[in-house]
Amino acid sequence: MKLTSPAFSDGGPIPRAHTCDGADLSPPLAWSGVPGGAKQLALIVDDPDAPGSVFVHWVLYGLPPDTTGLASGFPRDAQTVRPVPARQGVNDFRATGYRGPCPPPGAPHRYVFTLYALDTEVAMPPGATKAVLVQALKSHVVAEATLTGKYGRTKS
């Protein structure tokens, strides 16, 4: 499976529009190579460079396996029907939906987008945390792909 974004390259800078310093819109994403037997997709975005522990920015699950990407600005509703049916979990901002990079001033942080193809449908209501979702995914991931972007803020 391959995960890309027309907004930034793997390892490249995430544009301001997709951060707390801009419009804080989710970036556009595209993927290919989802295994034929996949029943559902899930996406987790986190910052492994956050002080203290990994900081979760987005928990999205219940995506149909024939979905090939997401446009910029995915709705922040706990459950969506359009543009695609999906459910969203709670991120570490204690909110549903995407919340973009917002690191403290200093060295840029990495933001890892991980897409999972699952061999089952996760029958979980909206509002799950990353930990709960990851537990539900155990032994059901048939493929995964990552895309990493970077974002930093200058010291005052």
Side-chain angles (χ1 to χ4, degrees):
M1 232 171 34
K2 184 170 172 82
L3 176 59
T4 62
S5 175
F8 63 96
S9 61
D10 191 34
I14 295 174
R16 186 180 179 97
H18 306 295
T19 74
C20 70
D21 294 320
D24 209 14
L25 299 172
S26 63
L29 299 171
W31 53 83
S32 59
V34 173
K39 302 267 195 280
Q40 208 169 66
L41 303 173
L43 178 74
I44 295 173
V45 179
D46 32 39
D47 172 3
D49 302 322
S53 66
V54 173
F55 194 90
V56 180
H57 286 263
W58 200 7
V59 179
L60 180 66
Y61 49 97
L63 288 162
D66 60 351
T67 306
T68 57
L70 300 173
S72 178
F74 194 81
R76 291 183 171 159
D77 303 322
Q79 188 154 355
T80 63
V81 175
R82 288 188 176 83
V84 294
R87 294 179 299 283
Q88 300 196 74
V90 176
N91 56 40
D92 284 345
F93 292 98
R94 293 181 171 74
T96 57
Y98 175 86
R99 294 298 190 276
C102 200
H109 286 208
R110 293 169 296 149
Y111 297 86
V112 182
F113 293 70
T114 306
L115 180 71
Y116 301 92
L118 310 173
D119 67 2
T120 188
E121 292 187 14
V122 176
M124 186 180 307
T129 62
K130 174 189 170 182
V132 169
L133 179 61
V134 166
Q135 185 62 35
L137 301 184
K138 280 191 188 220
S139 75
H140 293 293
V141 176
V142 293
E144 69 181 75
T146 61
L147 171 66
T148 302
K150 293 182 179 174
Y151 187 72
R153 299 162 94 194
T154 57
K155 294 181 181 177
S156 308

